[in-house]
Amino acid sequence: MEYVSNPTKAMLTEKTMVRLQILAESAKYDVSCSSSGTVRSGRKGMVGNTVGGVGICHSFADDGRCISLLKVMLTNYCIYDCAYCINRRSNDIRRATLSVSELEEITMEFYRRNYIEGLFLSSGVVRTPDYTMERLVAIVRDLRTIHHFNGYIHLKSIPGASQELLAEAGKYADRMSVNIEIPREESLKLLAPEKDHQSVFQPMKYIREGILENKEERRRFHHAPRFVPAGQSTQMIVGATSESDRDILQMSSSLYSRAQMRRVYYSGYVSVNTYDPRLPILKQPPLVRENRLYQADWLLRFYHFTVEEIVDDKHSHLDLEIDPKLAWALRHPEYFPIDINKADYEQLLRVPGLGTKSAWLIVNARRSGRLTSYHLKKMGVVMKKAKYFITCGELTSIFSQPIVGINELHPERLRPLLVSKSQQKRAAEERQLKLEFKE
């Protein structure tokens, strides 16, 4: 059944704007709203463009989260009663719904006023997953084909929606996402008995298959339409359940390797439903832990680390005081020092204070001559950290100054030199946020 919207323009009345405010507020807890990964150049007869992979304006919420300027739900009514969700069925909150034509008109009007460059669209589930997904697809289809909107669109997929609807949505959306929320099935069942991982993984599989088929089609036919060109993403809640950082990162690693996943987002749990005994008592979101997970995720995707190297049986949680790469280096002093003028790219990535860009600069620059700490500073290397893990130029044994590195100082003496008082304070405050579950 195809849902056809009213082509007449809906006026942005005061009542419409009140509903928009309610639905934008309901959407703010979903952090998987990045717009990177796609370019839509301006085309004749179309409205808007995305340049340089940035297709949507961003704003920052009070807690530091990056949100799109038009991040909205179609409706915040929902048939599910997930314990961690502000829009759960049993919550007594203000509810609102926008029609398909209203949301289309709001998007176009905001774009014409230069308020936004794109749309992040999600929805609560009403009636059935297919019923809801059908209306989301109608919006993105109309924006592209009727309103000729050429800006960025990120569409939340509804768990349990049919493959046919997801396939159609992929023709019009730049990015699609299905949120896992909880990494372990038993914890998800505890907080959301009406959901299971299968209803999430199945849409991910459909999207992955569509992306791979489209890549093959575009190899043969260069002008074939693109399917979800910015890939898919997902989100996991941090701190709502007792999962360790190892559990979370193992799930992320699995998704990156199997599901053509572009990004996994981590959202520190916000206590929106304090009355539910299944949820922990947290005075504030675990933002330091959230940040460490993003840093560990970066190591998985760009620094060729494995989950077992970052977290293991002995260290199942990430260190809150120091970043994951420095924590790994302090646990493995035998790996150092690394000779900057001889080490390969993979070895350089292991050095605290070196990033992917500076590692490539080092590999290329040393072809012209021996590098010293002066050259490293010019390349952006954080020498405050790196100097304890490398040898280069004047930092070698042929100079009068003795080498003072991790093996001379030992990890337990080096660590205090690399941890600032502000880092210690933030970590101490967060460690006090114990996951105390009600009986």
Side-chain angles (χ1 to χ4, degrees), residues 406-417:
I406 184 173
N407 291 300
E408 286 73 33
L409 285 172
H410 301 294
E412 61 273 13
R413 291 170 57 194
L414 176 57
R415 180 187 173 101
L417 300 177

Side-chain angles (χ1 to χ4, degrees), residues 27 76 84-85 102 109 155 157 187-188 197 207 255 312 392 398 419:
N76 63 350
Y84 48 79
C85 183
E102 282 177 325
E109 187 62 27
L155 183 65
S157 305
S187 296
L188 180 66
H197 274 173
I207 296 170
L255 291 172
D312 53 30
C392 71
I398 65 172
V419 181

Side-chain angles (χ1 to χ4, degrees), residues 27-282:
K28 73 178 184 179
Y29 295 102
D30 194 323
V31 299
S32 58
C33 59
S34 170
S35 64
S36 60
T38 185
V39 175
R40 286 180 178 271
S41 56
R43 289 191 294 171
K44 186 177 180 180
M46 300 295 283
V47 179
N49 64 81
T50 66
V51 180
V54 180
I56 192 165
C57 293
H58 290 92
S59 180
F60 289 89
D62 293 337
D63 57 4
R65 285 179 172 81
C66 188
I67 58 173
S68 60
L69 291 183
L70 183 54
K71 181 180 178 182
V72 66
M73 301 181 74
L74 177 63
T75 179
N76 63 350
Y77 286 95
C78 192
I79 61 174
Y80 298 134
D81 200 36
C82 306
Y84 48 79
C85 183
I86 188 65
N87 302 307
R88 60 186 293 184
R89 182 181 66 238
S90 59
N91 267 2
D92 183 17
I93 61 170
R94 292 195 301 171
R95 304 283 181 174
T97 300
L98 289 169
S99 69
V100 170
S101 58
E102 282 177 325
L103 211 150
E104 292 169 11
E105 179 59 25
I106 289 169
T107 302
M108 295 307 299
E109 187 62 27
F110 277 27
Y111 189 86
R112 293 187 191 103
R113 297 180 185 183
N114 205 29
Y115 294 165
I116 62 167
E117 294 183 74
L119 172 68
F120 176 88
L121 179 60
S122 61
S123 179
V125 182
V126 290
R127 298 192 186 180
T128 66
D130 275 356
Y131 178 88
T132 306
M133 193 68 201
E134 194 174 85
R135 276 140 187 81
L136 296 178
V137 172
I139 291 168
V140 296
R141 182 182 63 237
D142 289 353
L143 285 173
R144 296 295 193 209
T145 61
I146 298 176
H147 301 284
H148 306 294
F149 180 68
N150 198 42
Y152 178 85
I153 296 178
H154 182 149
L155 183 65
K156 284 293 299 297
S157 305
I158 303 299
S162 68
Q163 185 173 7
E164 292 74 20
L165 285 171
L166 293 170
E168 185 175 6
K171 298 176 185 176
Y172 309 110
D174 293 286
R175 174 170 286 186
M176 296 177 68
S177 58
V178 195
N179 286 351
I180 293 177
E181 306 293 16
I182 308 296
R184 288 194 304 188
E185 179 90 32
E186 55 269 30
S187 296
L188 180 66
K189 279 293 185 183
L190 174 67
L191 299 185
E194 300 153 305
K195 290 184 177 180
D196 56 48
H197 274 173
Q198 180 62 25
S199 65
V200 177
F201 291 143
Q202 196 64 41
M204 285 183 180
K205 178 184 176 183
Y206 294 151
I207 296 170
R208 174 182 178 273
E209 290 173 351
I211 292 171
L212 294 175
E213 290 173 4
N214 184 247
K215 284 183 178 178
E216 184 62 31
E217 185 179 7
R218 286 180 63 82
R219 286 193 188 101
R220 291 180 291 160
F221 308 104
H222 182 67
H223 296 291
R226 297 181 299 174
F227 183 91
V228 196
Q232 61 175 320
S233 62
T234 190
Q235 169 182 284
M236 282 189 276
I237 299 173
V238 179
T241 51
S242 59
E243 275 86 356
S244 67
D245 294 335
R246 187 184 185 190
D247 295 326
I248 294 171
L249 291 173
Q250 283 177 336
M251 174 61 77
S252 299
S253 179
S254 174
L255 291 172
Y256 284 133
S257 61
R258 293 186 302 158
Q260 294 289 108
M261 191 63 57
R262 185 66 63 88
R263 282 292 304 274
V264 176
Y265 291 85
Y266 307 95
S267 176
Y269 172 65
V270 180
S271 296
V272 292
N273 300 319
T274 54
Y275 60 86
D276 197 313
R278 294 170 293 176
L279 295 168
I281 303 170
L282 291 178

